[in-house]
Amino acid sequence: MSTAAIPSQQSIDQICVNTIRTLSIDGVQQANSGHPGAPMGLAPVVYELWQKYLQYDPANPIWPNRDRFVLSAGHASMLIYSTLHLVGVKAVGPDGKVLSQPSLPMEELKRFRQLDSRTPGHPESHLTPGVETTTGPLGQGCGNSVGMAIASKWLAANFNKPGFDIFNFRTYAVCGDGDLMEGVAAEAASLAGHLRLSNLCWIYDNNHVTLDGPAFWSFSEDVMTRFVGYGWNVTRVADANDLKMLARAYETFLKTPDKPTLIVVDSHIGYGSPHKQDSYQAHGEPLGEAEVKLVKENYEWPVDAKFLVPDGVYQHFQDGIGKRGADAHAAWVKLWSEYKTQFPELAKQLELMQSRELPQGWDQNLPTFPADEKGMASRDSSGKAVNVLAKNIPWLIGGSADLAKSNKTNLEFPGAGDFLPGEYAGRNLHYGVREHAMGSAMNGMAISRLRPFGGTFFNFSDYLKPAIRLAALMEIPVIYVFTHDSIGVGEDGPTHQPIEQLAALRAMPNIQVLRPGDANEVVEAWKLAVSHTHGPTALVLSRQAMPTLDRTKFAPASGVARGGYVLSDALGGKPDVILIGTGTELGLCVAAQAKLAAEGVKARVVSLPSFDLFEKQDAAYRESVLPSAVTARVSVEMASTFGWDRYIGPTGKSVGMHSFGASAPLKDLLKKFGFTVENVVAAAKESLGK
Ligand SMILES: Cc1ncc(C[n+]2csc(CCOP(=O)(O)OP(=O)(O)O)c2C)c(N)n1
Ligand SMILES: [Mg+2]
């Protein structure tokens, strides 16, 4: 396409900015779906950052010390797609190797929002190399960026050596009014300010508009004062189109040594379109062919050209970010090769982290728990297991939302240390009472190749659910330590007693959910959690003790790996009834089995700590555990019975929860809600038709 129609007085910077804008407009228009407004307003912000400041090599989008760019305003996805295309970010193969072809060739921009494109409606990191994290649910990118900044500080504190700044990457997040209205961003900002994460920069698109109308309808707080209160450095750019002012703001960020930076950028949605400026109706929709032409006219752009990249634009990006990024990357590679010879041990660790592998001997010294009728709470066995694992895996780093002592997530071995403001080497994070930010930050940490685990009460898993969901979608290995997993918490009452949380997590795709039934199952569950590299794991653990089963009499706990296994068969096989239990209720099933045997009823006990792992087994195995001929079945679990019908069938019985719990001593609750041996026995008989 000829560029003759673009007036020569437009600087190359301006032409590049307008190319980002018009590619975004054309992508949205072609899809007839999406948000053109935010990319139009934000194009100069992103241009100035990428072209002049971002330490990023388009030829290697997985270089570990690259600066991270997060588009928290994920609805502006065409903005990042256009940018990735123009700067020529390379694709990455499934094996994690950088390829010679681009991540987003022009055809992909033209296939915006189409099936199997690399340009989905909102950016998805597992689909599109160059997209650092999946965004769209507003606020999450902000939370992720805090995790990335934490990761950079932690990596620097643990791996940098004098003269070897292997890690010092910065994280930039672009957010809008919606992001800053969301609670998760507020939690994350509070945490980042507290931790003095000077490597974090948020760029707030202060465009005075949200989907429903002018921002003042719903949002009138003083954002700058709020962030000053959080302990951030706050600066403002009064006109998003002023590249010089933007540059000054980025310089200010780079010069601020002790706090994160918020750059408030005043912009007008769809800037440059005088026709739509005052119309709040349509900015979340395609402009329409006629408006597209008017907008292009306003940019002094050829009005009929589509997906136009004027001559010189690709080259200009190559000369800017391309060259700067290649030089920075090359310097790093040189440093890294010297580092590898001087610090081979540390270098090896970093290589393992990058490929999400575990170090040799990662499972050594894990405890085996002897049989014990009184037993222990699974949170306690979990605490023991994770302390061993964390000692073996130096980048397994923990934390809790202010419940570390309850969740037993504290890493207590010598040298584990705390991650505190200005002290970034420690392995224990203190998220404070900020569950959602914890979940979202852990995503950012996992993306940065750390292996984070974080704890809270299972009931409060709802507080971080949106972040869990994104971890599952992004296929990243975050581990949740959810303790106090049932009405078994007792006196704290129904506000603290989870009911439907298990069913809800089991319904989520691509998360490993494990509710182990004794101390040795807990160890197996932790092994599965740390070995699982392409999705999150939720460990659902009790506050109260459960028996440690005698594994010389019962099947080995390694059966956990198959999700469900025959823990104890009926004498002579051929059970009349199958009792299926998880967690604290497994012991109840074992006791009921003995009682039934005394009455001449042959029962099999199946331990089923993980629905999802059991579903992954072949049909023959599942049939061997739950033979279809045995239709008398009982499930026993102190949670909503929702979902159990698939295992108990039409004649089965569920001993479970059908209401919220209550505040009372545990023994009274067990009686009230039927978690007694007698009741399980009665359910078994009922299922047998007796
Ligand atoms: C958690 C969440 N709620 C709602 C939405 C739907 N949504 C997409 S953009 C948007 C608001 C847009 O306002 P703003 O953040 O100011 O972005 P702008 O329209 O200015 O680009 C909303 C509500 C969402 N993506 N995520
Ligand atoms: Mg807005």
Side-chain angles (χ1 to χ4, degrees), residues 38 75 175-178 181 204-211 213 215 267 269 283:
H75 58 282
C175 51
D177 300 297
M181 278 189 263
Y204 165 39
D205 179 23
N206 183 27
N207 67 0
H208 311 97
V209 59
T210 67
L211 282 193
S267 77
I269 192 109
H283 88 272

Side-chain angles (χ1 to χ4, degrees), residues 285-618:
E285 299 162 8
L287 297 173
E289 294 291 353
E291 181 69 17
V292 166
K293 286 194 183 176
L294 290 171
V295 168
K296 285 184 180 166
E297 202 175 277
N298 196 262
Y299 294 148
E300 301 177 317
W301 212 247
V303 292
D304 291 316
K306 291 207 166 110
F307 295 100
L308 170 66
V309 179
D311 293 345
V313 166
Y314 291 120
Q315 190 57 48
H316 185 64
F317 279 110
Q318 279 309 305
D319 297 342
I321 182 172
K323 166 125 190 24
R324 214 166 35 74
D327 290 348
H329 183 204
W332 186 87
V333 168
K334 195 153 164 271
L335 196 68
W336 170 241
S337 80
E338 182 58 28
Y339 184 90
K340 278 203 285 197
T341 55
Q342 290 205 27
F343 312 102
E345 286 295 309
L346 291 175
K348 176 79 190 152
Q349 287 187 16
L350 288 169
E351 282 171 347
L352 289 171
M353 287 171 75
Q354 290 306 313
S355 55
R356 292 214 207 282
E357 287 172 85
L358 298 173
Q360 199 116 62
W362 65 270
D363 58 353
Q364 71 195 3
N365 304 325
L366 276 168
T368 308
F369 295 95
D372 179 1
E373 192 45 46
K374 191 167 152 281
M376 70 171 79
S378 46
R379 63 171 170 158
D380 287 317
S381 40
S382 166
K384 291 187 197 308
V386 72
N387 267 278
V388 174
L389 285 168
K391 223 168 154 180
N392 297 341
I393 309 168
W395 52 97
L396 185 63
I397 85 171
S400 167
D402 202 42
L403 289 167
K405 289 190 189 79
S406 294
N407 304 140
K408 310 287 176 182
T409 44
N410 270 334
L411 298 179
E412 290 167 333
F413 50 87
D418 295 297
F419 187 97
L420 294 169
E423 294 171 38
Y424 300 124
R427 308 272 300 273
N428 291 289
L429 276 113
H430 301 282
Y431 295 102
V433 193
R434 301 183 186 93
E435 293 84 3
H436 203 172
M438 174 175 78
S440 194
M442 285 200 295
N443 287 353
M445 290 155 69
I447 288 165
S448 313
R449 305 288 157 156
L450 271 49
R451 293 297 308 269
F453 65 91
T456 185
F457 289 158
F458 189 35
N459 197 45
F460 303 141
S461 62
D462 291 339
Y463 271 59
L464 61 145
K465 191 80 169 304
I468 302 176
R469 190 170 191 276
L470 282 168
L473 178 59
M474 285 192 269
E475 304 175 4
I476 53 171
V478 176
I479 300 172
Y480 310 101
V481 181
F482 292 136
T483 67
H484 297 59
D485 69 349
S486 72
I487 57 162
V489 309
E491 291 85 346
D492 272 342
T495 58
H496 284 50
Q497 293 165 342
I499 302 291
E500 75 284 11
Q501 283 67 21
L502 252 180
L505 283 186
R506 283 172 180 156
M508 188 184 284
N510 199 41
I511 176 169
Q512 187 169 263
V513 182
L514 290 145
R515 186 169 187 250
D518 84 340
N520 290 306
E521 282 200 3
V522 168
V523 175
E524 296 302 318
W526 260 108
K527 279 158 70 174
L528 291 166
V530 297
S531 328
H532 189 49
T533 52
H534 286 88
T537 300
L539 298 172
V540 180
L541 307 167
S542 74
R543 168 179 181 260
Q544 75 277 31
M546 62 182 90
T548 305
L549 300 168
D550 182 351
R551 298 286 168 171
T552 62
K553 290 198 198 129
F554 296 105
S558 55
V560 172
R562 309 196 78 166
Y565 63 104
V566 179
L567 177 75
S568 165
D569 211 350
L571 208 58
K574 295 236 164 91
D576 304 317
V577 59
I578 304 175
L579 309 177
I580 316 169
T582 80
T584 33
E585 287 67 73
L586 192 58
L588 208 50
C589 294
V590 169
Q593 180 193 39
K595 195 130 198 256
L596 284 163
E599 299 181 30
V601 178
K602 293 198 283 184
R604 164 184 287 191
V605 175
V606 167
S607 173
L608 195 66
S610 173
F611 282 24
D612 50 277
L613 286 176
F614 189 63
E615 292 303 320
K616 286 197 183 115
Q617 307 308 310
D618 60 33

Side-chain angles (χ1 to χ4, degrees), residues 2-25:
S2 156
T3 59
I6 297 169
S8 53
Q9 66 268 31
Q10 267 194 35
S11 68
I12 183 69
D13 288 323
Q14 195 56 40
I15 291 172
C16 288
V17 168
N18 285 337
T19 306
I20 295 175
R21 284 177 166 146
T22 51
L23 285 179
S24 302
I25 291 168

Side-chain angles (χ1 to χ4, degrees), residues 61-273:
I62 53 173
W63 162 33
N65 196 38
R66 69 193 180 280
D67 282 352
R68 272 39 171 201
F69 175 81
V70 174
L71 185 66
S72 195
H75 58 282
S77 52
M78 268 309 298
L79 176 65
I80 191 169
Y81 298 150
S82 304
T83 306
L84 294 179
H85 168 75
L86 291 171
V87 307
V89 169
K90 294 292 188 217
V92 178
D95 57 354
K97 295 247 159 34
V98 179
L99 306 174
S100 57
Q101 63 259 42
S103 172
L104 291 181
M106 183 60 91
E107 306 86 80
E108 290 292 334
L109 298 193
K110 294 181 179 167
R111 297 204 321 117
F112 180 47
R113 293 185 162 228
Q114 305 309 304
L115 192 63
D116 296 330
S117 74
R118 279 202 222 137
T119 47
H122 295 87
E124 294 180 48
S125 55
H126 66 296
L127 297 182
T128 314
V131 170
E132 301 283 3
T133 180
T134 297
T135 53
L138 294 170
Q140 290 296 333
C142 293
N144 297 165
S145 72
V146 172
M148 293 171 180
I150 287 172
S152 181
K153 292 283 190 193
W154 188 87
L155 287 162
N158 282 283
F159 290 93
N160 287 358
K161 295 283 171 193
F164 290 94
D165 270 5
I166 294 296
F167 287 104
N168 54 15
F169 67 83
R170 301 183 177 89
T171 301
Y172 297 87
V174 167
C175 51
D177 300 297
D179 289 287
L180 291 195
M181 278 189 263
E182 289 290 354
V184 63
E187 290 178 24
S190 162
L191 182 61
H194 167 75
L195 289 171
R196 304 206 287 266
L197 300 176
S198 57
N199 54 357
L200 178 67
C201 179
W202 288 4
I203 304 151
Y204 165 39
D205 179 23
N206 183 27
N207 67 0
H208 311 97
V209 59
T210 67
L211 282 193
D212 274 359
F216 68 75
W217 282 1
S218 56
F219 195 42
S220 50
E221 71 206 27
D222 183 338
V223 169
M224 295 181 77
T225 302
R226 172 154 76 101
F227 275 73
V228 168
Y230 287 147
W232 287 53
N233 170 42
V234 178
T235 182
R236 184 169 205 155
V237 173
D239 176 3
N241 290 295
D242 189 337
L243 298 182
K244 281 208 182 69
M245 286 300 288
L246 286 166
R248 238 168 68 178
Y250 294 135
E251 298 285 351
T252 304
F253 161 58
L254 295 174
K255 280 191 221 126
T256 304
D258 54 354
K259 46 176 83 160
T261 294
L262 176 74
I263 303 175
V264 179
V265 180
D266 295 350
S267 77
H268 292 283
I269 192 109
Y271 182 88
S273 165

